Amino acid sequence: MFKGEGTSGDHHKAESTEARYWDGAARSSDEASVMEVERRGSVKPPERRSQLQMQEEGRCQAKPYDIDKWLVVEAYNRVKANAGSAGVDRQSLEAFDRDRRNNLYKLWNRMSSGSYMPPPVRAVSIPKKSGGERILGIPTVTDRIAQMVVKLQFEPEVEPHFLEDSYGYRPGKSAIQAIGVTRKRCWRYPWVLEFDIRGLFDNIPHELLLKAIDRHTANPWVKLYIRRWLTAPLVHADGRTDERDKGTPQGGVISPLLANLFLHYTFDRWISRHFPAIDWCRYADDGLLHCSTQRQARFLLRSLHERFRECGLELHPEKTRIVYCQDHRRASNHAHTSFDFLGYTFKKRVVKGRSGELFLGFCPGISRPSIQGIIEKVRKWRIGQRTDLSITDIAGFINPYLHGWWNYYGRYYRSLMYRVARYVNQRLVRWAMRKFKHLRGRKKKTIATLERLVKVRPKLFAHWSQGMSGAFA
């Protein structure tokens, strides 16, 4: 990454703050005064090790904050792996990479000296599955790397304090784990209190969040830059600028960690202390509480409203409700007998027991909006019109998506994924009829050809390898 990745004999280069060892540009006079080093071309090689040690000690003392250069390298690698769009400066990752070493050097230099100031955040509107729009805050590439540097330093300090039933945006935790835990608890408890926090990322009170941060770290540069990010303005497409005195931009690298920390005190620890007998599960701003009676669920709902109001938040009135887990043992009627959680719908379904008997169970399966979202994505690929591609090319492009969908949504009640398998197959039929002249206008022959291909190459497509070749008609 940076220049200076050498052998032990080049160790002084890797540790040097001079731009020439990082392949960076010459510094400004301000940067040079902070670094307190000689100008380029006047540095003499140290004659004795003691002189080298003295030089390095002087350089370390010149920097207010000791930030490891390799922390910046690791942050860059993670940001690049996550990809993402440009911020207000319109600089893409590709453009950043064209002068990568110099850009990383300048970022490290400014963060270490305390002079790094986060630029404004670009506001982007995206549609919600439930309707309406959500505002994402997109930082610049450089700012995403800076946020990742702070996250890599801060996360190990707070992560051990988070509770077991918090699953969102945590290392070693996943949404499918939350689905599995919820599935088992719905068998044990007949009532579920489903809640959603309205505009969590937009409404977190800074004062309470900063108290939580101060409780978990004494690192001065971590606290400095988090404070600066919290107040970075939001710039809309029409040029409007919103100054922020609350919230943390949804879309920022550090934002999910900060939201988790805030909810750790607002909800997780609070519910565990005041209602220790209640089983709960939270993924970011969505949560579930399992109750033995409807009366208990109603009391918890009132308590939650009061608690979140005290902490500057509000429960979403349309997405917060009490649900009855109806199955073959629970035959009572209720206004709500199903709920959606993390792309799954939990409701009464026909299931097969271990001995082969069929009964009604309260189980998760892919939700209707999730299926519609997958089908819409496949439709936008326009597979039927890609006659420039071979069937192997098509498989190579769509298989990563199919594997991801089947691994997640196909974990429970997999038969619901047949609709997706059939839709993909229908797109392949259209592609074959356009690609090959002898199949044009001959749908039955095309279907027979693809059915033979399934037998010859059953692992060509991800859903075929799952034993879900489905219908082609």
Side-chain angles (χ1 to χ4, degrees):
M1 286 303 163
F2 296 139
K3 271 193 174 182
E5 300 180 43
T7 61
S8 58
D10 293 330
H11 180 69
H12 65 285
K13 295 183 180 180
E15 293 299 319
S16 174
T17 56
E18 288 223 54
R20 69 191 184 95
Y21 291 134
W22 297 61
D23 199 26
R27 293 181 301 275
S28 65
S29 58
D30 291 338
E31 291 184 54
S33 64
V34 172
M35 303 292 285
E36 295 184 3
V37 295
E38 296 176 306
R39 292 187 179 274
R40 194 180 286 220
S42 62
V43 178
K44 298 180 180 179
E47 298 178 358
R48 295 191 305 273
R49 183 173 178 80
S50 60
Q51 291 180 353
L52 174 62
Q53 291 174 341
M54 292 176 61
Q55 290 174 1
E56 293 300 326
E57 289 175 2
R59 291 189 182 107
C60 291
Q61 291 174 359
K63 289 290 185 186
Y65 304 124
D66 182 18
I67 301 177
D68 193 334
K69 298 165 189 173
W70 299 111
L71 197 64
V72 180
V73 174
E74 177 62 20
Y76 161 78
N77 289 334
R78 296 197 184 191
V79 168
K80 186 173 183 179
N82 292 333
S85 57
V88 292
D89 60 356
R90 302 297 176 182
Q91 184 187 46
S92 65
L93 272 167
E94 292 75 15
F96 183 92
D97 276 345
R98 284 195 284 270
D99 197 15
R100 180 186 60 195
R101 293 178 180 177
N102 190 40
N103 289 331
L104 291 179
Y105 166 74
K106 288 190 292 185
L107 175 62
W108 170 83
N109 190 31
R110 290 167 184 172
M111 290 189 73
S112 297
S113 64
S115 63
Y116 176 73
M117 299 299 296
V121 179
R122 182 166 70 95
V124 177
S125 299
I126 62 170
K128 293 182 178 180
K129 291 182 179 180
S130 57
E133 290 185 340
R134 175 185 289 111
I135 301 297
L136 292 184
I138 308 299
T140 64
V141 173
T142 300
D143 198 44
R144 292 207 297 273
I145 298 172
Q147 290 190 35
M148 185 63 77
V149 170
V150 174
K151 180 184 176 183
L152 291 174
Q153 180 71 31
F154 185 48
E155 188 173 54
E157 298 183 79
V158 297
E159 173 61 29
H161 298 277
F162 291 160
L163 302 187
E164 181 70 20
D165 285 308
S166 170
Y167 290 90
Y169 309 112
R170 294 182 58 190
K173 295 282 190 176
S174 66
I176 201 64
Q177 291 176 340
I179 294 296
V181 167
T182 301
R183 172 174 169 260
K184 294 179 179 178
R185 290 174 178 171
C186 286
W187 296 343
R188 292 163 49 195
Y189 298 98
W191 298 92
V192 168
L193 171 55
E194 174 193 15
F195 71 88
D196 179 272
I197 303 170
R198 172 183 274 176
L200 168 65
F201 288 90
D202 298 329
N203 295 298
I204 294 177
H206 288 175
E207 181 181 358
L208 295 179
L209 176 59
L210 292 173
K211 285 182 179 180
I213 293 169
D214 291 340
R215 183 168 185 172
H216 287 278
T217 184
N219 190 310
W221 60 268
V222 167
K223 295 194 286 186
L224 170 69
Y225 290 122
I226 288 178
R227 281 172 166 81
R228 290 179 180 177
W229 281 314
L230 290 177
T231 56
L234 196 68
V235 177
H236 295 268
D238 58 4
R240 290 182 298 111
T241 300
D242 293 339
E243 301 295 333
R244 295 190 297 115
D245 56 4
K246 63 179 180 179
T248 176
Q250 187 172 2
V253 173
I254 196 72
S255 294
L257 179 60
L258 298 181
N260 261 343
L261 178 60
F262 184 79
L263 289 181
H264 171 71
Y265 288 101
T266 300
F267 174 77
D268 300 355
R269 284 190 56 180
W270 174 83
I271 196 74
S272 299
R273 182 184 298 120
H274 292 85
F275 303 95
I278 296 296
D279 284 335
W280 57 273
C281 172
R282 182 180 64 79
Y283 193 99
D285 55 353
D286 294 326
L288 303 169
L289 295 94
H290 300 268
C291 306
S292 300
T293 64
Q294 186 179 21
R295 180 181 178 183
Q296 184 183 53
R298 288 173 175 170
F299 178 77
L300 281 173
L301 180 57
R302 292 193 296 270
S303 300
L304 277 186
H305 274 294
E306 183 178 348
R307 173 61 179 174
F308 282 114
R309 193 179 303 114
E310 290 174 351
C311 298
L313 298 177
E314 179 186 5
L315 293 177
H316 197 293
E318 298 177 2
K319 298 180 180 180
T320 301
R321 57 182 181 171
I322 297 171
V323 178
Y324 183 57
C325 303
Q326 196 177 60
D327 60 15
H328 69 287
R329 301 167 300 165
R330 307 159 184 160
S332 302
N333 293 322
H334 190 265
H336 304 293
T337 57
S338 67
F339 65 89
D340 285 3
F341 185 54
L342 302 179
Y344 273 83
T345 295
F346 286 76
K347 71 175 192 176
K348 178 176 61 178
R349 304 179 190 276
V350 178
V351 295
K352 182 182 290 187
R354 294 181 179 179
S355 59
E357 79 281 5
L358 299 179
F359 63 93
L360 291 176
F362 194 82
C363 300
I366 182 173
S367 66
R368 184 172 297 178
S370 297
I371 291 180
Q372 292 173 343
I374 291 174
I375 289 177
E376 178 64 18
K377 188 172 187 68
V378 174
R379 186 189 67 81
K380 289 181 178 179
W381 290 338
R382 299 184 177 275
I383 296 173
Q385 299 178 14
R386 297 304 306 271
T387 55
D388 57 315
L389 301 178
S390 68
I391 196 166
T392 304
D393 294 334
I394 294 174
F397 171 72
I398 71 174
N399 272 343
Y401 296 94
L402 298 179
H403 277 299
W405 292 330
W406 255 263
N407 288 339
Y408 184 71
Y409 294 112
R411 181 70 63 89
Y412 301 107
Y413 224 78
R414 178 174 293 202
S415 60
L416 294 176
M417 294 294 289
Y418 272 112
R419 182 180 170 188
V420 177
R422 183 177 182 181
Y423 187 80
V424 173
N425 288 344
Q426 289 172 344
R427 301 305 100 183
L428 293 176
V429 170
R430 287 193 178 187
W431 168 83
M433 291 176 64
R434 291 191 178 190
K435 174 96 173 164
F436 304 105
K437 291 183 179 180
H438 68 283
L439 296 178
R440 290 178 185 174
R442 307 180 70 177
K443 187 174 182 179
K444 289 184 178 180
K445 185 175 180 179
T446 304
I447 291 173
T449 301
L450 289 173
E451 287 175 344
R452 288 195 299 271
L453 182 62
V454 172
K455 296 178 181 179
V456 175
R457 301 182 64 184
K459 296 184 179 181
L460 179 59
F461 287 94
H463 60 299
W464 294 2
S465 65
Q466 297 282 343
M468 297 184 70
S469 57
F472 287 88

